[in-house]
Amino acid sequence: MNISEKNINSYTILSLQGILNASSAPQLKTYIAGLPDAQSIVVDLENVEFLDSSGLGALVGIARRKKTSNAVIKLARMNERVKKVFEITQAYTLFDIYDDVSAAAEA
Amino acid sequence: MIFHLDNSTSQPVGIVILKKRIDASNSSELQKAFAHWLQQTNRLVFDCTELDFIDSSGLGAIVSCLRKTLEHHGDLKLAGLGPKVAMVFELTKAKKLFSIFSDSSEAIQSFSVVDPK
Amino acid sequence: MKTLIVIKKQEYEWLLDLFPGVHPLLLPICNKPFIEFFVDFSIFTGSNAIRIVSDGPLRDVERYCENGSRWGVEISYGSMLPADELHSVIDKNRRFCQEERVVIISGFLFIHYDKKSDYASLFASLPSGELFSCGRGSISLTGTPVVETNTTTGASPFSLTALDSVGKYYRLSMDILKNGLTRYVLPGYSSESDCYIGRNVVIPKSAEIKKPVIIGNNVQILSNSVIDKNSVIGSNVIIDRESVISGSIVMDNTYIGEHLEVKDKIAAGNLLIDPESGTTIVMEDPHLLTSMAQSKVAGTLLRRVVHALAATLLIILQFLPWFLLRPILGIQGNWKRDKGQYHTGLPGKAFTMTKTTIGNNGPLCAIAKALSLDRFPLLFRVLSGKLLLIGSQPVLINPATRVIPNSMSGYRPGVFSYAEAEDWPEIGIDTEIVEHYYAVHGNPLKDIAMTQKALFNRTH
């Protein structure tokens, strides 16, 4: 999985590309652990080809950690495959989900 | 099921207080007890204020109680039907068979107005 | 033009208790799913794309509407959080809302429209902002009018009703049936006015049907029954002999027994509802009212067999260590048992289960834990079919803990849980997420692998 980073406003935008599953979830966790705890982030999911429960677990874990340090994690540009996983698991109840990266980085 | 005789009118009226639910588990019990009550008086009231639920066997038991009372030239009246029990009586058209009153004292009064056959 | 439909779970929650298993957006109003009225209206306003946004599940709605090609529009779906206000919902859907004007319908509303009115040019000429509201919801518009017109709208060609009680739902259905049949597009075959009949409807000569009436598909009306005026009969319905239905709504998959009189009521499966008082009774007699929903036994049977076989294997493996360690741990006081009432997969049904916890003292406890001996007694419940080998974390019946909502059909308690296998935090909603995932993605073979993972994870 590729992670690319850019900054918009006060947000760090992480664009993921590839497969987010048990083997790549630790990579995302370490990457985010490298950022300051209080840094709010937007995760751009448009190019995530596959997401399983471990990948989702990583995102949920990050959301929990950000919440305790009063930072925010937002998700943006979910494709249909990713959306399906969020829908069946009802994980959408935990995240602010945007269809546009710049809108997510504004509020 | 609690039974007592009300002597406030010229002839005694048997009041039966039905509680919680009448269903397959206790409907035959009701029918058995009813035979005894009927020997004491042929004017009876089922007070349903505390009755929450009735199923078809319970309904069948009450209808057979009515039938027996009519055979003894008396009447069985119902009082204080809650909304849920009333719905079952409506659905099954059993409502049309009974004289129904809002509470038991009204039902007792009604016996002295028009004498049963 | 595009349409954004924003519906919060809170607005329709009352319906989940009343008609479990039916997504409120798919609730039939005169046999037409509620969402289709939205879709029709959106199309009348000239929209070519519709997005449905909710903080609740939309899976069933998506399964029904798909991508909208059936209606020639593009339908997409979005999520929001319960606390979101309308402007943040618009932010969250910025890409959708860009470029074109957007009609925003917010609230669990019924829009009384008339298919003969020209909404497309009306909406094109209206200024932006809130157009109509009814307290519980509103219709608003973004962007600038394409054509400036100097006309004031005058009498608005539609009105809104917030659906917030079963009485409103009933009155709305009756109003459409009596006065609105020509305003809406309704399903069924209509050879004469005020009468819509679906496919495969069997009506014997002795039965009587009076207008106005709407009857769905696959309906059997038996001899001497009467469908009196103002009735809506859903699909897959049987009305048995000599029963009378009048002024009532009979929902899909309902059986009405013989010699009954259903007057001014809603019958849904084994529920009978008085819409005016809101009184609901659950019929326990299958010969009066029954739900005719099909059960899905075949899929679960294979799962059960595989789970039972695997449980047997585990019993054999664990028996010796359990036999040796159990008495010692018992004497040491390290084998604690807690009896409790747990939810089964069926609504309202409970079962008793004794949960074992092993203490933290000494090497024997460590060995017993590593071998998951605390689960050994539960394995027998798999053989009797009460538990799955791996499934949801059994939920104690206790109002203080997480409640099993009606919609959570995926809950099936197991000896081991998916959350344990996945190393997920075993609390509240997080556990539910992984359980939902496997309710869809699980299969018997995967379950075996997950059980191994759970056994392995629990030692660490």
Side-chain angles (χ1 to χ4, degrees):
Chain A
M1 188 180 63
N2 278 325
I3 304 175
S4 58
E5 182 185 331
K6 63 179 173 183
N7 288 300
I8 302 179
N9 300 330
S10 61
Y11 287 86
T12 298
I13 318 292
L14 300 178
S15 300
L16 311 186
Q17 193 183 4
I19 291 167
L20 184 52
N21 63 2
S23 54
S24 59
Q27 187 194 346
L28 179 65
K29 282 188 201 163
T30 355
Y31 194 99
I32 285 176
L35 300 170
D37 267 349
Q39 175 63 53
S40 290
I41 54 174
V42 174
V43 183
D44 178 358
L45 296 166
E46 190 176 37
N47 295 315
V48 172
E49 288 154 26
F50 177 81
L51 175 74
D52 76 352
S53 69
S54 311
L56 190 61
L59 291 172
V60 172
I62 294 162
R64 291 264 176 259
R65 210 156 330 117
K66 288 291 170 197
K67 202 171 184 183
T68 52
S69 46
N70 285 323
V72 178
I73 177 174
K74 292 177 176 179
L75 306 180
R77 301 209 292 176
M78 288 190 184
N79 58 46
E80 287 307 314
R81 284 178 298 268
V82 172
K83 215 178 246 176
K84 200 152 268 171
V85 176
F86 273 77
E87 182 62 42
I88 60 167
T89 58
Q90 298 181 12
Y92 56 81
T93 53
L94 298 179
F95 296 94
D96 279 303
I97 299 165
Y98 290 76
D99 71 349
D100 183 72
V101 171
S102 54
E106 259 172 38
Chain B
M1 289 177 276
I2 300 169
F3 176 78
H4 70 91
L5 280 175
D6 181 285
N7 293 309
S8 61
T9 49
S10 55
Q11 271 185 304
V13 178
I15 311 290
V16 181
I17 297 174
L18 299 178
K19 288 189 173 178
K20 284 179 187 156
R21 43 189 297 150
I22 305 287
D23 55 22
S25 69
N26 58 6
S27 59
S28 57
E29 195 186 326
L30 172 68
Q31 290 197 53
K32 258 183 229 158
F34 191 80
H36 292 291
W37 302 330
L38 197 56
Q39 283 166 6
Q40 301 175 48
T41 174
N42 65 354
R43 302 171 156 201
L44 289 133
V45 173
F46 278 177
D47 184 340
C48 303
T49 328
E50 292 171 57
L51 186 66
D52 302 323
F53 180 83
I54 183 165
D55 78 348
S56 63
S57 56
L59 198 67
I62 292 179
V63 171
S64 99
C65 290
L66 173 72
R67 200 159 292 142
K68 280 184 206 146
T69 318
L70 295 176
E71 279 166 17
H72 284 75
H73 309 290
D75 199 2
L76 169 63
K77 305 188 178 191
L78 303 179
L81 296 185
K84 293 189 178 189
V85 176
M87 258 163 93
V88 178
F89 273 85
E90 273 169 43
L91 175 74
T92 55
K93 299 187 239 183
K95 204 176 180 178
K96 293 171 187 165
L97 304 173
F98 291 91
S99 322
I100 297 174
F101 299 88
S102 57
D103 59 46
S104 56
S105 62
E106 255 183 58
I108 295 165
Q109 287 294 312
S110 72
F111 276 109
S112 50
V113 177
V114 187
D115 259 76
K117 292 165 259 175
Chain C
M1 193 73 79
K2 289 179 176 183
T3 301
L4 187 71
I5 300 167
V6 183
I7 292 182
K8 288 191 182 180
K9 198 177 168 191
Q10 183 204 341
E11 297 159 348
Y12 63 63
E13 231 154 12
W14 62 275
L15 269 166
L16 295 176
D17 300 330
L18 216 50
F19 306 119
V22 180
H23 191 288
L25 281 174
L26 299 178
L27 178 76
I29 296 174
C30 292
N31 282 354
K32 183 177 169 109
F34 189 31
I35 188 71
E36 281 200 47
F37 287 94
F38 280 120
V39 173
D40 284 354
F41 182 73
S42 308
I43 293 170
F44 288 137
T45 63
S47 297
N48 49 33
I50 299 169
R51 176 164 293 179
I52 304 164
V53 182
S54 178
D55 54 350
L58 286 173
R59 210 162 121 207
D60 294 346
V61 180
E62 192 168 348
R63 202 173 289 154
Y64 181 79
C65 297
E66 295 176 330
N67 59 5
S69 57
R70 188 153 29 128
W71 296 281
V73 285
E74 200 179 296
I75 299 184
S76 57
Y77 306 85
S79 34
M80 61 188 277
L81 295 179
D84 283 344
E85 286 183 35
L86 207 48
H87 65 86
S88 32
V89 176
I90 296 169
D91 270 346
K92 285 184 175 181
N93 294 282
R94 181 175 293 177
R95 237 200 299 182
F96 178 81
C97 295
Q98 269 169 357
E99 288 161 13
E100 280 184 72
R101 301 197 75 190
V102 184
V103 182
I104 299 161
I105 304 170
S106 163
F108 197 62
L109 302 170
F110 184 82
I111 305 168
H112 300 264
Y113 62 84
D114 188 337
K115 62 186 178 195
K116 294 181 289 295
S117 297
D118 180 9
Y119 294 104
S121 39
L122 171 71
F123 274 79
S125 64
L126 287 171
S128 68
E130 188 172 285
L131 305 177
F132 304 92
S133 88
C134 72
R136 291 272 184 132
S138 66
I139 296 185
S140 45
L141 195 57
T142 65
T144 45
V146 189
V147 270
E148 284 291 349
T149 45
N150 49 3
T151 51
T152 45
T153 44
S156 69
F158 62 87
S159 58
L160 307 176
T161 300
L163 277 184
D164 52 11
S165 69
V166 69
K168 282 239 184 93
Y169 167 72
Y170 174 79
R171 286 191 291 274
L172 174 68
S173 304
M174 288 300 136
D175 180 51
I176 295 174
L177 190 60
K178 289 177 198 168
N179 314 313
L181 287 176
T182 54
R183 296 173 61 125
Y184 306 96
V185 185
L186 289 170
Y189 164 77
S190 172
S191 60
E192 47 188 313
S193 61
D194 294 344
C195 177
Y196 289 79
I197 312 263
R199 284 175 279 113
N200 192 21
V201 174
V202 181
I203 306 169
K205 271 187 188 149
S206 58
E208 208 180 322
I209 300 201
K210 293 180 190 165
K211 295 195 291 183
V213 69
I214 301 179
I215 298 179
N217 301 324
N218 305 320
V219 174
Q220 272 194 60
I221 293 162
L222 281 94
S223 53
N224 296 318
S225 279
V226 180
I227 310 295
D228 212 340
K229 58 181 196 249
N230 303 327
S231 293
V232 180
I233 313 287
S235 292
N236 303 320
V237 169
I238 298 175
I239 313 282
D240 214 336
R241 308 186 281 127
E242 288 174 48
S243 282
V244 181
I245 313 286
S246 66
S248 295
I249 303 171
V250 179
M251 305 285 258
D252 293 357
N253 308 316
T254 301
Y255 164 78
I256 306 274
E258 49 186 66
H259 299 285
L260 299 181
E261 188 176 80
V262 182
K263 188 169 184 288
D264 304 332
K265 299 282 187 300
I266 301 173
N270 62 344
L271 289 180
L272 190 68
I273 302 160
D274 178 20
E276 288 318 317
S277 66
T279 309
T280 301
I281 50 173
V282 183
M283 305 300 290
E284 295 179 6
D285 300 296
H287 59 275
L288 295 179
L289 253 68
T290 335
S291 154
M292 301 197 298
Q294 297 93 354
S295 58
K296 320 165 214 165
V297 186
T300 54
L301 189 68
L302 174 69
R303 197 176 179 198
R304 268 198 183 177
V305 170
V306 172
H307 280 225
L309 285 175
T312 314
L313 185 68
L314 264 180
I315 288 172
I316 295 169
L317 289 174
Q318 287 191 333
F319 179 73
L320 195 62
W322 174 81
F323 185 74
L324 295 173
L325 289 173
R326 164 76 181 86
I328 304 171
L329 292 173
I331 292 164
Q332 289 179 338
N334 282 328
W335 186 272
K336 298 186 197 79
R337 293 159 66 83
D338 267 314
K339 208 169 181 180
Q341 289 282 107
Y342 289 84
H343 286 283
T344 60
L346 304 164
K349 295 258 166 72
F351 72 102
T352 315
M353 188 179 89
T354 307
K355 208 173 182 176
T356 308
T357 11
I358 297 173
N360 262 331
N361 315 307
L364 287 181
C365 287
I367 294 171
K369 271 188 172 171
L371 294 172
S372 286
L373 291 187
D374 51 338
R375 305 291 164 92
F376 180 75
L378 298 180
L379 290 171
F380 295 93
R381 305 298 286 269
V382 180
L383 303 184
S384 68
K386 269 276 179 290
L387 289 171
L388 288 175
L389 182 59
I390 186 158
S392 311
Q393 200 182 100
V395 177
L396 254 179
I397 297 182
N398 173 0
T401 57
R402 124 182 119 105
V403 186
I404 304 288
N406 291 326
S407 56
M408 195 185 146
S409 51
Y411 170 81
R412 290 290 310 277
V415 176
F416 298 96
S417 75
Y418 291 119
E420 287 172 325
E422 280 279 348
D423 210 7
W424 272 58
E426 288 173 50
I427 40 151
I429 183 146
D430 292 7
T431 312
E432 281 177 33
I433 288 175
V434 70
E435 283 166 8
H436 286 149
Y437 185 87
Y438 283 102
V440 174
H441 288 111
N443 65 46
L445 279 181
K446 217 179 212 169
D447 283 346
I448 303 291
M450 294 297 286
T451 308
Q452 282 181 343
K453 264 173 104 176
L455 279 167
F456 178 78
N457 271 349
R458 295 192 73 235
T459 64
H460 289 70

